[in-house]
Amino acid sequence: MTKKKIQGPMIIAEISGNHNGSLERALEIVRAAADAGAHAVKIQTYTADTITLDVDSPAFRVSDGHALWGSRTLHELYEEAHTPWEWHEPIFELAKQLGMTAFSTPFDETAVEFLEELDVPMYKIASLEIVDLPLIEQVSATGKPVVLSVGTATIGEVAAAVEAARRGGCQDLTLLACTSSYPAEPDDANLRRIPVMAEMFGVKVGLSDHTMGVGVSIAATALGASMIEKHVTLRRSDGGVDAAFSLEPAELRLLVDGCDAAARALGSAHVWATGAEAESLRLRPSLYVTTDVTAGDPVTARNVRSVRPAGGLPPVELARVIGRTFAADAKLGTALSWELLS
């Protein structure tokens, strides 16, 4: 199947840990994403042992007050959430068959080497790894497009990451505005960063959106986002580490359609009346004869009024025609013209 045509931003369905430990569920999410019109699917490439250490101490636990993963050890959380490496190929193959781009987020050098063996077309760097400049350089050295999420980063850290990508040889870089909070609140999205980042770094900019619903992503599109990433699941009620802030398939379709509409609606600042308004233009008000009149009758507010449609003199001429006389007979509904007056 050919790649899906992208008119608005590229919509990326992030599977992440929503497979809930089942390859068949992961494949079902891929099918649902394709049916909903997503342009790409993304997974994450790590194991619990490549991303963290099997240590149970406060430093290696999620803080107790975290809304979703409070008090869990990092190793336990990532063991549940990781996508087994042997699942990558069938997930990628199905996505490609369904016309979508399929890629991943690596978290260490072994993941990059593995993904290169699968010849992924692009790479994503996660928000927390924005400070792992050697990883960014390694990914950039593949010569493939790189997507870099800026959640948690200062402007200086973003600048350092962009420089690392360019130093590594990246020629196609996209920065994703992101609030690394799960779920995130719209108040924390700060979408005005999008055009600022684009101008500051001279790159494409998008959004990795962890808020509920689709409104924030549509707003980002109106600010110039070229890429939108959203977590997707089959049903939030099924649970799972990322389910609470993920879209269901019907919502993903709303996202695709809404972002497409937002992108198309931007149009041009130089266009006012358009060809699409031709019928409305024809129905604008003008001056018409509102009763049967005969030649010599005076023009009054009773026999000439501004009504829809167009065709008669402009309404602004009403004061100039009142008090004149009709030069010919005219029936109700005749468009008023200067030729009809004396």
Side-chain angles (χ1 to χ4, degrees), residues 6 93 215:
I6 301 175
E93 283 302 314

Side-chain angles (χ1 to χ4, degrees), residues 177-194:
C178 174
T179 304
S180 188
S181 177
Y182 307 89
E185 292 295 327
D187 311 70
D188 296 322
N190 296 307
L191 296 181
R192 293 186 190 274
R193 293 179 293 171
I194 289 174

Side-chain angles (χ1 to χ4, degrees), residues 58-284:
F60 285 83
R61 281 185 173 270
V62 181
S63 300
D64 290 343
H66 193 280
L68 299 180
W69 312 311
S71 78
R72 297 188 67 177
T73 68
L74 297 181
H75 195 275
E76 174 195 14
L77 178 63
Y78 297 136
E79 180 63 33
E80 177 184 349
H82 86 286
T83 301
W85 290 20
E86 62 270 21
W87 292 6
H88 284 49
E89 190 167 9
I91 290 173
F92 290 165
E93 283 302 314
L94 177 60
K96 286 187 285 187
Q97 289 171 17
L98 296 174
M100 293 185 291
T101 299
F103 65 110
S104 186
T105 299
F107 289 82
D108 78 323
E109 61 186 33
T110 65
V112 178
E113 292 166 358
F114 172 70
L115 290 170
E116 277 299 284
E117 292 175 2
L118 297 178
D119 195 26
V120 294
M122 58 192 290
Y123 285 95
K124 160 83 184 292
I125 297 293
S127 288
L128 276 61
E129 276 60 38
I130 195 169
V131 295
D132 192 342
L133 303 186
L135 177 64
I136 294 173
E137 285 193 53
Q138 182 191 12
V139 165
S140 299
T142 66
K144 295 171 181 175
V146 176
V147 179
L148 179 60
S149 196
V150 307
T152 75
T154 64
I155 291 179
E157 289 170 334
V158 175
V162 170
E163 176 56 31
R166 290 173 173 158
R167 191 166 56 244
C170 179
Q171 300 295 315
D172 187 346
L173 179 64
T174 301
L175 297 179
L176 298 186
C178 174
T179 304
S180 188
S181 177
Y182 307 89
E185 292 295 327
D187 311 70
D188 296 322
N190 296 307
L191 296 181
R192 293 186 190 274
R193 293 179 293 171
I194 289 174
V196 172
M197 286 195 297
E199 182 176 359
M200 182 179 297
F201 298 109
V203 298
K204 294 175 290 186
V205 180
L207 176 69
S208 179
D209 185 10
H210 301 140
T211 65
M212 302 299 292
V214 302
V216 170
S217 289
I218 293 172
T221 303
L223 286 170
S226 64
M227 182 179 291
I228 301 291
E229 178 188 59
K230 266 285 201 179
H231 283 69
V232 175
T233 189
L234 296 175
R235 292 163 294 274
R236 280 187 293 275
S237 60
D238 291 344
V241 294
D242 298 322
F245 58 92
S246 297
L247 296 182
E248 295 182 354
E251 295 165 327
L252 179 59
R253 167 53 72 181
L254 290 176
L255 176 72
V256 172
D257 292 344
C259 288
D260 177 69
R264 289 163 49 206
L266 292 176
S268 169
H270 306 292
V271 174
W272 294 92
T274 72
E277 298 172 309
E279 180 63 7
S280 292
L281 186 65
R282 190 186 67 81
L283 298 177
R284 292 201 302 187

